[in-house]
Amino acid sequence: MLTWKQMELLNRVAALHHRSLPTYLAYARPWVALGGEANAHVIEDIAADHHDVVERVLEVLETADRPVSLGDFPMEYTSLNDLSLDFVLGEVTRFERRLLHSLEDIATWLDRESTATRLVNLAIGMAKGHLQNLAELTKSSSSRSAS
């Protein structure tokens, strides 16, 4: 059984992922230069992972009969509409770093062995993987442009 605090923290995790920048970009796709389509899939993959985290958290919260509030996308995301994928990837990287920091902070408030802890640790692992993928993508893009 989850405590009230655990449920509040899980709701926060769901909201962070549901209204994330990658999720927003799944609806408002950035401009992609010819040949950059493969790079756009990185954002789609991150958004899919964010959706997976939300689904897992919502399943737990709904089982506990806990109301959920996911909020709206931040208005500042609209400033990224119609910008290039290369620019937006930098913003996604910054977002994922902030998300990872938030998740690690949330993890400090949880018990070691709980459903909430396992879900947050899953989200932390995903965020670290996303950052690694984004770094590799940026590195390979830099080496191609230098050639």
Side-chain angles (χ1 to χ4, degrees):
M1 180 82 164
L2 295 175
T3 66
W4 182 258
K5 183 67 172 176
Q6 289 172 328
M7 288 187 278
E8 286 293 316
L9 291 170
L10 283 179
N11 191 96
R12 174 95 175 111
V13 169
L16 285 168
H17 286 82
H18 189 67
R19 296 302 179 203
S20 70
L21 179 56
T23 301
Y24 176 81
L25 293 171
Y27 299 105
R29 299 185 188 280
W31 176 81
V32 180
L34 187 62
E37 295 84 4
N39 293 353
H41 291 297
V42 170
I43 294 175
E44 293 169 6
D45 291 344
I46 294 171
D49 282 350
H50 285 201
H51 179 76
D52 182 55
V53 168
V54 172
E55 290 298 314
R56 290 172 187 244
V57 170
L58 290 181
E59 183 179 318
V60 169
L61 293 176
E62 289 170 357
T63 299
D65 202 26
R66 170 73 169 97
V68 178
S69 174
L70 299 176
D72 298 318
F73 287 114
M75 286 301 296
E76 63 258 19
Y77 289 177
T78 61
S79 66
L80 300 174
N81 291 354
D82 303 320
L83 295 178
S84 72
L85 177 64
D86 290 338
F87 179 82
V88 170
L89 283 171
E91 295 301 309
V92 170
T93 300
R94 281 186 275 290
F95 174 86
E96 284 293 315
R97 282 188 194 121
R98 288 190 308 270
L99 175 63
L100 177 58
H101 178 73
S102 295
L103 292 170
E104 289 173 338
D105 185 51
I106 288 169
T108 65
W109 291 93
L110 295 170
D111 299 329
R112 286 188 172 189
E113 297 298 324
S114 71
T115 301
T117 302
R118 284 188 292 279
L119 287 170
V120 172
N121 285 337
L122 172 72
I124 288 170
M126 286 181 173
K128 287 178 179 178
H130 297 153
L131 285 168
Q132 183 177 6
N133 291 342
L134 288 163
E136 289 171 8
L137 183 66
T138 303
K139 184 179 176 183
S140 67
S141 293
S142 296
S143 64
R144 274 186 302 213
S145 64
S147 301

